[in-house]
Amino acid sequence: MREGWEAEAQSWARLARTPGLDHSHEDINLPQLLDLLPGPGRLTLDLACGEGRLGRVLASLGHRVVGVDASPTMVRLAATHQQRETAVLADAIRLPFPDEAFDLIVAYMCLHDIDAMPQAVAEAARVLGRSGRLCAAIPHPVNTAGSFQVPEATAPYVISGSYLDSARSDWVFDRAGVRMTFHSEHRPLESYARALEAGGLLIEAIREPKPPGHAVARDKAAGRWRRIPLFLQLRAVKPG
């Protein structure tokens, strides 16, 4: 999946940096993730930082942020933005940081895009300090296991194939002149829970955010995500 995201880096930057294109990020995912995060501490890792949109938000909230990504183009985009983020080119399973370097790691919409997800979670646990938190957001595994039959609020939802088996989950975004392919993998919730367990992290909060009223008022079809969760968010702690 790394090669796929490197190929789509410029398209992703256009999508991420154009206000109003990514409604689910702006209306649903980001606001509720920020409510889940602890406040600024010593050092925050923006895991798989992409072009830096989350890191810029975290920095505006007082976090001292370091980003890391396996895509050279993504790292360059993050580091050269007007609100530049300190960004390092590295594989998520071999982070170039010492043990317990961070007191917060944010894995925002990336764990499903990492081929060796369990190893990446283990490596995040290594660089996370005692009593530190890992906060993550992913497409909800129920979401990636199926689809609505039609784009209406009352549309039936059907699991296609198997929820319990991992499988590639690529899909195409095409809106307002921006077209790109998301390269991802569907995994059941247990896969993520087992990765956290193996890394010695304890889940302390889980959220399944719903669209707010103004999002549904703008797009009635968004109401379907009040029945089936679009995202899954969690916060895990490394025991002190």
Side-chain angles (χ1 to χ4, degrees), residues 194-211:
R194 281 184 176 270
L196 293 166
E197 178 184 343
L201 303 177
L202 304 178
I203 297 173
E204 61 179 11
I206 288 180
R207 301 288 184 269
E208 296 171 307
K210 296 180 180 180

Side-chain angles (χ1 to χ4, degrees), residues 27-222:
D27 294 336
I28 308 171
N29 208 8
L30 180 63
Q32 298 195 50
L33 178 80
L34 295 179
D35 285 342
L36 196 64
L37 296 183
R42 178 171 47 98
L43 193 60
T44 296
L45 177 62
D46 182 7
L47 186 65
C49 65
E51 58 73 52
R53 71 173 178 179
L54 178 69
R56 294 190 291 273
V57 173
L58 294 175
S60 74
L61 296 174
H63 292 261
R64 181 174 169 232
V65 182
V66 174
V68 63
D69 204 283
S71 161
T73 302
M74 294 286 196
V75 169
R76 185 176 68 252
L77 287 165
T80 58
H81 190 275
Q82 185 177 3
Q83 299 168 267
R84 66 185 58 191
E85 176 177 352
T86 300
V88 178
L89 178 65
D91 195 310
I93 66 172
R94 288 184 295 273
L95 295 174
F97 308 115
D99 294 354
E100 303 187 3
F102 300 90
D103 48 14
L104 174 63
I105 298 175
V106 186
Y108 183 63
M109 299 301 289
C110 67
L111 293 180
H112 56 292
D113 298 333
I114 297 174
D115 295 286
M117 182 272 294
Q119 294 93 317
V121 171
E123 184 70 344
R126 178 187 69 80
V127 303
L128 186 63
R130 300 289 173 177
S131 302
R133 265 74 180 178
L134 168 65
C135 294
I138 59 173
H140 201 291
V142 170
N143 166 17
T144 56
S147 62
F148 289 98
Q149 297 302 285
V150 292
E152 297 175 358
T154 59
Y157 188 83
V158 176
I159 299 292
S160 53
S162 171
Y163 168 84
L164 292 174
D165 294 324
S166 297
R168 286 299 296 264
S169 181
D170 295 353
W171 64 281
V172 176
F173 176 97
D174 191 351
R175 182 184 300 160
V178 176
R179 180 181 174 87
M180 67 168 291
T181 299
F182 284 74
H183 298 275
S184 305
E185 183 171 331
H186 162 75
R187 301 181 178 106
L189 177 56
E190 181 178 340
S191 295
Y192 296 99
R194 281 184 176 270
L196 293 166
E197 178 184 343
L201 303 177
L202 304 178
I203 297 173
E204 61 179 11
I206 288 180
R207 301 288 184 269
E208 296 171 307
K210 296 180 180 180
H214 70 267
V216 177
R218 182 184 62 228
D219 177 11
K220 298 298 183 183

